[in-house]
Amino acid sequence: MFKQSLIASALFSLLGTSQAYAGQLTGKVVDANNQPLSNATVHLHGKSKAVKSDKNGQFTIEVDSDAQLHITKPNYLDNRVNITEQQGFVRVQLEPTSVESIVVYSSALHKNSMEMTSPVSVLSGDELKNRAKPTLGETLKGQPGINASYFGPVSSSPIIRGLDGPRVKITQNGLDSSDASRVGPDHANTNDSLAAQQIEVLRGPATLLYGSGAIGGVVNVVDNRIPTDVIDSLQGAADYSHDTNSNTNTFAVLLESGFDGFNFHFDGVKRKGGDYETPNFAQPHDDHESHDGHEHEHEHEHEHEHEHEHEHEHEHEHESESHEVEYANKVDNTFIDSEQFNFGTSYVGDHLTLGLSYGRIDTDYGIPAHSHVGHDHAHDDHDHEAHDDHDHEAHDDHESEESHAEESVFARVKQDRWQGLINYAVHSDWLESIGLRVGYTDYEHAEIEHGNIGTVFENDTTELRLTAEHRLGEWHGTVGYHFSDSDYSANGEEAFTPSTQTKTHAFYILEERRFGDFTLELGARVEDYQLSSKGDSLEDDHDHDHDHDHDHHDSEIETGFIAYDLDMTNLSVSVGGVYDYTAGSNVAVSLSRSERAPLTAELLSNGIHIATSTYELGLGYELEGDHLHFEPQDIEQETSTNLDVSFRKFSGDFGYTVNFFYNDIENFYYQALTDYIFTAEHGLEIADHAHDDAIPVFKFESSDAKLYGLEFDAHYKLNRFARVKVFGDSITAKLDNDEYLPRIPSNKLGVDYEHRYENLTANFTVTHYFDQDNVARYESETKGYTMVDVSLNYDFELMGNDMVGYLNLDNLTDELGYVHSSFIKEQAPLPGRNIKLGIRGYF
């Protein structure tokens, strides 16, 4: 922290310099028909604050030098206008766009989604609020190129172009979420969509700004917990919704106020619901065979037999008994009870913006398909009552709170998060602004079993990002220093990774220059990556005598970890360009090379991973006959060479975005099925005979891999009332030996029809997920399915306040669907028909 203190002290000294006199610029924003546009955002380049145009399209903003205004409004093309200090008045005209164009905060250069060199999607406004689910994965999975890991609806992380976990960075206002969602698929991320202003998804490597954990992409959740605009009156919003499928009630509230440059913010979300219902589905015969991606090859021919039986279930329900197939219409242990809030305050002046925020998350959620395999489950020193001050209602009224505490395995997540912001608009000839964001997160994920605390995962993270935005001649860019210190620990019998401290120090630069209709972008990042794990009972020499006592052998293999330090330097570079070949159309090309060092789970895993019913070994281990060795000497970085080509048309009645990508990855880290099994009685052994309680052993390996495909989103405005959209994606992911990678999402194709009439907006969406038969040798195929969704929004006014009533009909046809990317696809199909009713008010 000493280094951060020095940086902060130096920055405060700089902020103490005298400020220049600020004058006022007034203006008006109009559309192509010279009609005023309200609620357009007017941002002065180089400053953090912005103002909004009023109902007459008028605005006033303070300026103290020649500068550039950036004017944005959803569904209109951005406009940039150069102004002088003495100008006094400016008139700005915005052209409509057929593809929504939104400023991307995570771009670092104030670009909108149609100007980016790499593909990006943005969800915002009422569309985001209406689509909001308990997890980011479920909220975003309908976007082209985006899917979800789906460990039940309350633990589902985004998958970007087939990559997830340690390759997808989840950030909140540009700082890491700092949870444990990258450790295992049953660990939920801690970002709630309802509290967000917008959610941005950067496809392809975004390692320049966000580090090696973003080698596959970034999901950035943007909220206003630290206000950066001047708030001069009390304003806010409230939202209530009810989901019939899981009997879930969700409340959300937002309050903001300010006076004389001082601003205050509060938002909170409470969500409580029970187990979700599905169409009738056949339960797997054996829990250990149901975790998709980890079945043995001889199980292939039996996988999915129940899907064919389901097609005639309404006519032949009696067949379930004759064929001894058990059916269910609910996924047990998928309840959620969540509360979270954020407080923030800031001061926004002519040059200086200062802010501080505190957020708290307290969530309990069920972990479906959780079973204790491979060992006798006994509680450790954390064995005390954990169900003291929370109650959980199951979906059925007769299920009591005690049933969750005594019979279920659920997660209790607590997180405290502090953030600070300093931004100073310098407005010198070359330096525009200096910004500092800092964050501290205290995260805990405890698994509650039979009412007692079992395994506890903790992660304390400190992060700092210092940036300087500048202009050097014709070049505009940002340079920065990024520091992160993460202290991760796992304590309990189900801890399959050692406690680890991970530090990164990085310097990066991102520059752009305009050449007529062509914009060139260059970037580079150098990152020092340090990983230090704490040892346990195992010694560095794993050459055990296989004739040793089994109990001694078992305890070492199951609970021991190696003390190990890793120090690598990751280098990432990129070059890209956007060519505006005609008004409202462009083509973007981006080429990047990114390096990533292995995380703790990939490098040092050595234990049973209960969520996936497997025994996991990291890259550092080698299995040779009856011996287990720790030999990390030859581990190399995962290196991605990624090419993106995007074609965009965003003006007129017809618009589209089409992205082609090719990702060549050297030393791709993946889990390979070994010839070994693990049992509580015998430990690790070669699978030369069957054991009833045996689980497969998967070991992380590295091999070259290629991932390639396309994404598209096309709009056509039929008339002033109706619009139709077609979207889809396709991906192929193979190792160099021509084997497919496991759990790659199915391709999808969808159509959305939107109709607006006066205050009513209706959407009808049909999305087909194709069969996934390009599977790893130990996977089963997944049948396709079609989802039909309908939504209705009605805008009205109540006592002078804007109101929105909404109705969502999800999975209207009650289709049975299995998610190929899920570890528990057979035990947790997608929810059945759901009716969501909600009302939202603004004041």
mmCIF file with all atom_site columns, all heavy atoms in Angstrom, residues 137 153 323 352 356 383 434 444 461 579 581 583 596 613 714 780 789 820:
data_model
loop_
_atom_site.group_PDB
_atom_site.id
_atom_site.type_symbol
_atom_site.label_atom_id
_atom_site.label_alt_id
_atom_site.label_comp_id
_atom_site.label_asym_id
_atom_site.label_entity_id
_atom_site.label_seq_id
_atom_site.pdbx_PDB_ins_code
_atom_site.Cartn_x
_atom_site.Cartn_y
_atom_site.Cartn_z
_atom_site.occupancy
_atom_site.B_iso_or_equiv
_atom_site.pdbx_formal_charge
_atom_site.auth_seq_id
_atom_site.auth_comp_id
_atom_site.auth_asym_id
_atom_site.auth_atom_id
_atom_site.pdbx_PDB_model_num
ATOM 1   N N   . GLY A 1 137 ? -24.566 -14.024 -16.522 1.00 0.00 ? 137 GLY A N   1
ATOM 2   C CA  . GLY A 1 137 ? -24.652 -15.004 -17.603 1.00 0.00 ? 137 GLY A CA  1
ATOM 3   C C   . GLY A 1 137 ? -26.044 -15.093 -18.194 1.00 0.00 ? 137 GLY A C   1
ATOM 4   O O   . GLY A 1 137 ? -26.228 -15.079 -19.413 1.00 0.00 ? 137 GLY A O   1
ATOM 5   N N   . PRO A 1 153 ? -29.858 -21.170 -12.413 1.00 0.00 ? 153 PRO A N   1
ATOM 6   C CA  . PRO A 1 153 ? -30.104 -19.772 -12.789 1.00 0.00 ? 153 PRO A CA  1
ATOM 7   C C   . PRO A 1 153 ? -29.461 -18.758 -11.867 1.00 0.00 ? 153 PRO A C   1
ATOM 8   O O   . PRO A 1 153 ? -29.354 -17.591 -12.225 1.00 0.00 ? 153 PRO A O   1
ATOM 9   C CB  . PRO A 1 153 ? -31.633 -19.668 -12.741 1.00 0.00 ? 153 PRO A CB  1
ATOM 10  C CG  . PRO A 1 153 ? -32.047 -20.702 -11.751 1.00 0.00 ? 153 PRO A CG  1
ATOM 11  C CD  . PRO A 1 153 ? -31.074 -21.841 -11.919 1.00 0.00 ? 153 PRO A CD  1
ATOM 12  N N   . HIS A 1 323 ? -40.177 -48.240 -17.859 1.00 0.00 ? 323 HIS A N   1
ATOM 13  C CA  . HIS A 1 323 ? -38.757 -48.154 -18.222 1.00 0.00 ? 323 HIS A CA  1
ATOM 14  C C   . HIS A 1 323 ? -37.904 -47.768 -17.016 1.00 0.00 ? 323 HIS A C   1
ATOM 15  O O   . HIS A 1 323 ? -36.716 -47.532 -17.156 1.00 0.00 ? 323 HIS A O   1
ATOM 16  C CB  . HIS A 1 323 ? -38.570 -47.118 -19.335 1.00 0.00 ? 323 HIS A CB  1
ATOM 17  C CG  . HIS A 1 323 ? -39.142 -47.542 -20.654 1.00 0.00 ? 323 HIS A CG  1
ATOM 18  N ND1 . HIS A 1 323 ? -38.562 -48.506 -21.426 1.00 0.00 ? 323 HIS A ND1 1
ATOM 19  C CD2 . HIS A 1 323 ? -40.266 -47.130 -21.302 1.00 0.00 ? 323 HIS A CD2 1
ATOM 20  C CE1 . HIS A 1 323 ? -39.287 -48.678 -22.535 1.00 0.00 ? 323 HIS A CE1 1
ATOM 21  N NE2 . HIS A 1 323 ? -40.330 -47.852 -22.469 1.00 0.00 ? 323 HIS A NE2 1
ATOM 22  N N   . LEU A 1 352 ? -11.981 19.249  -10.966 1.00 0.00 ? 352 LEU A N   1
ATOM 23  C CA  . LEU A 1 352 ? -11.745 18.146  -10.046 1.00 0.00 ? 352 LEU A CA  1
ATOM 24  C C   . LEU A 1 352 ? -13.010 17.339  -9.793  1.00 0.00 ? 352 LEU A C   1
ATOM 25  O O   . LEU A 1 352 ? -14.081 17.895  -9.567  1.00 0.00 ? 352 LEU A O   1
ATOM 26  C CB  . LEU A 1 352 ? -11.219 18.695  -8.715  1.00 0.00 ? 352 LEU A CB  1
ATOM 27  C CG  . LEU A 1 352 ? -11.029 17.694  -7.568  1.00 0.00 ? 352 LEU A CG  1
ATOM 28  C CD1 . LEU A 1 352 ? -9.937  16.698  -7.923  1.00 0.00 ? 352 LEU A CD1 1
ATOM 29  C CD2 . LEU A 1 352 ? -10.700 18.439  -6.278  1.00 0.00 ? 352 LEU A CD2 1
ATOM 30  N N   . LEU A 1 356 ? -16.195 8.578   -3.408  1.00 0.00 ? 356 LEU A N   1
ATOM 31  C CA  . LEU A 1 356 ? -15.975 7.402   -2.574  1.00 0.00 ? 356 LEU A CA  1
ATOM 32  C C   . LEU A 1 356 ? -17.282 6.633   -2.488  1.00 0.00 ? 356 LEU A C   1
ATOM 33  O O   . LEU A 1 356 ? -18.362 7.222   -2.406  1.00 0.00 ? 356 LEU A O   1
ATOM 34  C CB  . LEU A 1 356 ? -15.519 7.815   -1.167  1.00 0.00 ? 356 LEU A CB  1
ATOM 35  C CG  . LEU A 1 356 ? -15.243 6.695   -0.168  1.00 0.00 ? 356 LEU A CG  1
ATOM 36  C CD1 . LEU A 1 356 ? -13.999 5.910   -0.583  1.00 0.00 ? 356 LEU A CD1 1
ATOM 37  C CD2 . LEU A 1 356 ? -15.065 7.267   1.242   1.00 0.00 ? 356 LEU A CD2 1
ATOM 38  N N   . ASP A 1 383 ? -17.374 -25.995 12.102  1.00 0.00 ? 383 ASP A N   1
ATOM 39  C CA  . ASP A 1 383 ? -18.625 -26.710 12.363  1.00 0.00 ? 383 ASP A CA  1
ATOM 40  C C   . ASP A 1 383 ? -19.458 -25.997 13.416  1.00 0.00 ? 383 ASP A C   1
ATOM 41  O O   . ASP A 1 383 ? -19.420 -26.313 14.589  1.00 0.00 ? 383 ASP A O   1
ATOM 42  C CB  . ASP A 1 383 ? -18.288 -28.135 12.809  1.00 0.00 ? 383 ASP A CB  1
ATOM 43  C CG  . ASP A 1 383 ? -19.516 -29.004 12.870  1.00 0.00 ? 383 ASP A CG  1
ATOM 44  O OD1 . ASP A 1 383 ? -20.499 -28.656 12.216  1.00 0.00 ? 383 ASP A OD1 1
ATOM 45  O OD2 . ASP A 1 383 ? -19.465 -30.033 13.581  1.00 0.00 ? 383 ASP A OD2 1
ATOM 46  N N   . ILE A 1 434 ? -5.961  13.504  -15.598 1.00 0.00 ? 434 ILE A N   1
ATOM 47  C CA  . ILE A 1 434 ? -5.330  12.441  -14.822 1.00 0.00 ? 434 ILE A CA  1
ATOM 48  C C   . ILE A 1 434 ? -6.417  11.802  -13.976 1.00 0.00 ? 434 ILE A C   1
ATOM 49  O O   . ILE A 1 434 ? -7.197  12.494  -13.316 1.00 0.00 ? 434 ILE A O   1
ATOM 50  C CB  . ILE A 1 434 ? -4.211  12.991  -13.910 1.00 0.00 ? 434 ILE A CB  1
ATOM 51  C CG1 . ILE A 1 434 ? -3.110  13.626  -14.747 1.00 0.00 ? 434 ILE A CG1 1
ATOM 52  C CG2 . ILE A 1 434 ? -3.632  11.884  -13.041 1.00 0.00 ? 434 ILE A CG2 1
ATOM 53  C CD1 . ILE A 1 434 ? -2.046  14.297  -13.906 1.00 0.00 ? 434 ILE A CD1 1
ATOM 54  N N   . GLU A 1 444 ? -16.235 -13.309 0.735   1.00 0.00 ? 444 GLU A N   1
ATOM 55  C CA  . GLU A 1 444 ? -16.280 -14.622 1.381   1.00 0.00 ? 444 GLU A CA  1
ATOM 56  C C   . GLU A 1 444 ? -17.414 -15.448 0.801   1.00 0.00 ? 444 GLU A C   1
ATOM 57  O O   . GLU A 1 444 ? -18.548 -14.980 0.664   1.00 0.00 ? 444 GLU A O   1
ATOM 58  C CB  . GLU A 1 444 ? -16.479 -14.480 2.889   1.00 0.00 ? 444 GLU A CB  1
ATOM 59  C CG  . GLU A 1 444 ? -16.548 -15.815 3.631   1.00 0.00 ? 444 GLU A CG  1
ATOM 60  C CD  . GLU A 1 444 ? -16.822 -15.650 5.098   1.00 0.00 ? 444 GLU A CD  1
ATOM 61  O OE1 . GLU A 1 444 ? -15.897 -15.239 5.835   1.00 0.00 ? 444 GLU A OE1 1
ATOM 62  O OE2 . GLU A 1 444 ? -17.973 -15.903 5.522   1.00 0.00 ? 444 GLU A OE2 1
ATOM 63  N N   . THR A 1 461 ? -8.955  -8.329  -2.130  1.00 0.00 ? 461 THR A N   1
ATOM 64  C CA  . THR A 1 461 ? -8.295  -7.760  -3.310  1.00 0.00 ? 461 THR A CA  1
ATOM 65  C C   . THR A 1 461 ? -8.143  -6.255  -3.165  1.00 0.00 ? 461 THR A C   1
ATOM 66  O O   . THR A 1 461 ? -9.092  -5.554  -2.793  1.00 0.00 ? 461 THR A O   1
ATOM 67  C CB  . THR A 1 461 ? -9.092  -8.070  -4.587  1.00 0.00 ? 461 THR A CB  1
ATOM 68  O OG1 . THR A 1 461 ? -9.226  -9.482  -4.728  1.00 0.00 ? 461 THR A OG1 1
ATOM 69  C CG2 . THR A 1 461 ? -8.386  -7.530  -5.816  1.00 0.00 ? 461 THR A CG2 1
ATOM 70  N N   . TYR A 1 579 ? -12.338 1.984   -40.739 1.00 0.00 ? 579 TYR A N   1
ATOM 71  C CA  . TYR A 1 579 ? -12.436 2.735   -41.995 1.00 0.00 ? 579 TYR A CA  1
ATOM 72  C C   . TYR A 1 579 ? -13.900 3.072   -42.253 1.00 0.00 ? 579 TYR A C   1
ATOM 73  O O   . TYR A 1 579 ? -14.732 2.186   -42.461 1.00 0.00 ? 579 TYR A O   1
ATOM 74  C CB  . TYR A 1 579 ? -11.860 1.928   -43.152 1.00 0.00 ? 579 TYR A CB  1
ATOM 75  C CG  . TYR A 1 579 ? -12.031 2.593   -44.501 1.00 0.00 ? 579 TYR A CG  1
ATOM 76  C CD1 . TYR A 1 579 ? -11.642 3.914   -44.712 1.00 0.00 ? 579 TYR A CD1 1
ATOM 77  C CD2 . TYR A 1 579 ? -12.593 1.896   -45.572 1.00 0.00 ? 579 TYR A CD2 1
ATOM 78  C CE1 . TYR A 1 579 ? -11.796 4.521   -45.949 1.00 0.00 ? 579 TYR A CE1 1
ATOM 79  C CE2 . TYR A 1 579 ? -12.749 2.489   -46.812 1.00 0.00 ? 579 TYR A CE2 1
ATOM 80  C CZ  . TYR A 1 579 ? -12.355 3.810   -46.993 1.00 0.00 ? 579 TYR A CZ  1
ATOM 81  O OH  . TYR A 1 579 ? -12.517 4.416   -48.215 1.00 0.00 ? 579 TYR A OH  1
ATOM 82  N N   . TYR A 1 581 ? -16.013 3.985   -44.737 1.00 0.00 ? 581 TYR A N   1
ATOM 83  C CA  . TYR A 1 581 ? -15.986 4.054   -46.197 1.00 0.00 ? 581 TYR A CA  1
ATOM 84  C C   . TYR A 1 581 ? -17.171 4.799   -46.778 1.00 0.00 ? 581 TYR A C   1
ATOM 85  O O   . TYR A 1 581 ? -17.149 5.197   -47.952 1.00 0.00 ? 581 TYR A O   1
ATOM 86  C CB  . TYR A 1 581 ? -15.881 2.653   -46.806 1.00 0.00 ? 581 TYR A CB  1
ATOM 87  C CG  . TYR A 1 581 ? -16.974 1.695   -46.438 1.00 0.00 ? 581 TYR A CG  1
ATOM 88  C CD1 . TYR A 1 581 ? -18.141 1.628   -47.186 1.00 0.00 ? 581 TYR A CD1 1
ATOM 89  C CD2 . TYR A 1 581 ? -16.836 0.835   -45.349 1.00 0.00 ? 581 TYR A CD2 1
ATOM 90  C CE1 . TYR A 1 581 ? -19.147 0.740   -46.862 1.00 0.00 ? 581 TYR A CE1 1
ATOM 91  C CE2 . TYR A 1 581 ? -17.825 -0.068  -45.026 1.00 0.00 ? 581 TYR A CE2 1
ATOM 92  C CZ  . TYR A 1 581 ? -18.981 -0.105  -45.778 1.00 0.00 ? 581 TYR A CZ  1
ATOM 93  O OH  . TYR A 1 581 ? -19.978 -0.996  -45.448 1.00 0.00 ? 581 TYR A OH  1
ATOM 94  N N   . ALA A 1 583 ? -20.886 7.312   -45.261 1.00 0.00 ? 583 ALA A N   1
ATOM 95  C CA  . ALA A 1 583 ? -21.575 7.833   -44.085 1.00 0.00 ? 583 ALA A CA  1
ATOM 96  C C   . ALA A 1 583 ? -22.453 6.751   -43.456 1.00 0.00 ? 583 ALA A C   1
ATOM 97  O O   . ALA A 1 583 ? -23.299 6.161   -44.134 1.00 0.00 ? 583 ALA A O   1
ATOM 98  C CB  . ALA A 1 583 ? -22.423 9.039   -44.460 1.00 0.00 ? 583 ALA A CB  1
ATOM 99  N N   . ARG A 1 596 ? -0.953  -14.928 -21.185 1.00 0.00 ? 596 ARG A N   1
ATOM 100 C CA  . ARG A 1 596 ? -1.609  -15.169 -19.902 1.00 0.00 ? 596 ARG A CA  1
ATOM 101 C C   . ARG A 1 596 ? -0.874  -16.251 -19.134 1.00 0.00 ? 596 ARG A C   1
ATOM 102 O O   . ARG A 1 596 ? -0.537  -17.306 -19.689 1.00 0.00 ? 596 ARG A O   1
ATOM 103 C CB  . ARG A 1 596 ? -3.068  -15.588 -20.100 1.00 0.00 ? 596 ARG A CB  1
ATOM 104 C CG  . ARG A 1 596 ? -3.838  -15.804 -18.801 1.00 0.00 ? 596 ARG A CG  1
ATOM 105 C CD  . ARG A 1 596 ? -5.286  -16.129 -19.071 1.00 0.00 ? 596 ARG A CD  1
ATOM 106 N NE  . ARG A 1 596 ? -5.477  -17.511 -19.486 1.00 0.00 ? 596 ARG A NE  1
ATOM 107 C CZ  . ARG A 1 596 ? -5.702  -18.516 -18.633 1.00 0.00 ? 596 ARG A CZ  1
ATOM 108 N NH1 . ARG A 1 596 ? -5.730  -18.298 -17.328 1.00 0.00 ? 596 ARG A NH1 1
ATOM 109 N NH2 . ARG A 1 596 ? -5.902  -19.743 -19.079 1.00 0.00 ? 596 ARG A NH2 1
ATOM 110 N N   . SER A 1 613 ? -17.896 -33.141 -9.755  1.00 0.00 ? 613 SER A N   1
ATOM 111 C CA  . SER A 1 613 ? -17.723 -34.574 -9.480  1.00 0.00 ? 613 SER A CA  1
ATOM 112 C C   . SER A 1 613 ? -16.486 -35.138 -10.167 1.00 0.00 ? 613 SER A C   1
ATOM 113 O O   . SER A 1 613 ? -16.535 -36.185 -10.819 1.00 0.00 ? 613 SER A O   1
ATOM 114 C CB  . SER A 1 613 ? -18.971 -35.354 -9.907  1.00 0.00 ? 613 SER A CB  1
ATOM 115 O OG  . SER A 1 613 ? -20.032 -35.075 -9.021  1.00 0.00 ? 613 SER A OG  1
ATOM 116 N N   . ALA A 1 714 ? -28.657 -8.008  -37.350 1.00 0.00 ? 714 ALA A N   1
ATOM 117 C CA  . ALA A 1 714 ? -29.155 -7.161  -38.438 1.00 0.00 ? 714 ALA A CA  1
ATOM 118 C C   . ALA A 1 714 ? -30.549 -6.638  -38.102 1.00 0.00 ? 714 ALA A C   1
ATOM 119 O O   . ALA A 1 714 ? -31.408 -7.379  -37.616 1.00 0.00 ? 714 ALA A O   1
ATOM 120 C CB  . ALA A 1 714 ? -29.193 -7.935  -39.755 1.00 0.00 ? 714 ALA A CB  1
ATOM 121 N N   . SER A 1 780 ? -21.081 -35.974 -24.119 1.00 0.00 ? 780 SER A N   1
ATOM 122 C CA  . SER A 1 780 ? -22.264 -36.409 -24.856 1.00 0.00 ? 780 SER A CA  1
ATOM 123 C C   . SER A 1 780 ? -22.776 -35.259 -25.705 1.00 0.00 ? 780 SER A C   1
ATOM 124 O O   . SER A 1 780 ? -22.516 -34.087 -25.423 1.00 0.00 ? 780 SER A O   1
ATOM 125 C CB  . SER A 1 780 ? -23.356 -36.854 -23.877 1.00 0.00 ? 780 SER A CB  1
ATOM 126 O OG  . SER A 1 780 ? -23.762 -35.757 -23.087 1.00 0.00 ? 780 SER A OG  1
ATOM 127 N N   . ASP A 1 789 ? -40.063 -16.095 -26.569 1.00 0.00 ? 789 ASP A N   1
ATOM 128 C CA  . ASP A 1 789 ? -40.235 -15.112 -25.501 1.00 0.00 ? 789 ASP A CA  1
ATOM 129 C C   . ASP A 1 789 ? -41.050 -13.926 -26.016 1.00 0.00 ? 789 ASP A C   1
ATOM 130 O O   . ASP A 1 789 ? -40.875 -13.496 -27.157 1.00 0.00 ? 789 ASP A O   1
ATOM 131 C CB  . ASP A 1 789 ? -38.882 -14.607 -24.995 1.00 0.00 ? 789 ASP A CB  1
ATOM 132 C CG  . ASP A 1 789 ? -37.981 -15.733 -24.520 1.00 0.00 ? 789 ASP A CG  1
ATOM 133 O OD1 . ASP A 1 789 ? -38.474 -16.610 -23.778 1.00 0.00 ? 789 ASP A OD1 1
ATOM 134 O OD2 . ASP A 1 789 ? -36.790 -15.745 -24.898 1.00 0.00 ? 789 ASP A OD2 1
ATOM 135 N N   . HIS A 1 820 ? -25.457 -27.030 -23.202 1.00 0.00 ? 820 HIS A N   1
ATOM 136 C CA  . HIS A 1 820 ? -24.283 -27.871 -23.413 1.00 0.00 ? 820 HIS A CA  1
ATOM 137 C C   . HIS A 1 820 ? -23.081 -27.377 -22.610 1.00 0.00 ? 820 HIS A C   1
ATOM 138 O O   . HIS A 1 820 ? -22.231 -28.178 -22.217 1.00 0.00 ? 820 HIS A O   1
ATOM 139 C CB  . HIS A 1 820 ? -23.916 -27.924 -24.899 1.00 0.00 ? 820 HIS A CB  1
ATOM 140 C CG  . HIS A 1 820 ? -22.779 -28.849 -25.191 1.00 0.00 ? 820 HIS A CG  1
ATOM 141 N ND1 . HIS A 1 820 ? -22.927 -30.215 -25.205 1.00 0.00 ? 820 HIS A ND1 1
ATOM 142 C CD2 . HIS A 1 820 ? -21.463 -28.612 -25.444 1.00 0.00 ? 820 HIS A CD2 1
ATOM 143 C CE1 . HIS A 1 820 ? -21.757 -30.788 -25.471 1.00 0.00 ? 820 HIS A CE1 1
ATOM 144 N NE2 . HIS A 1 820 ? -20.855 -29.823 -25.609 1.00 0.00 ? 820 HIS A NE2 1
#
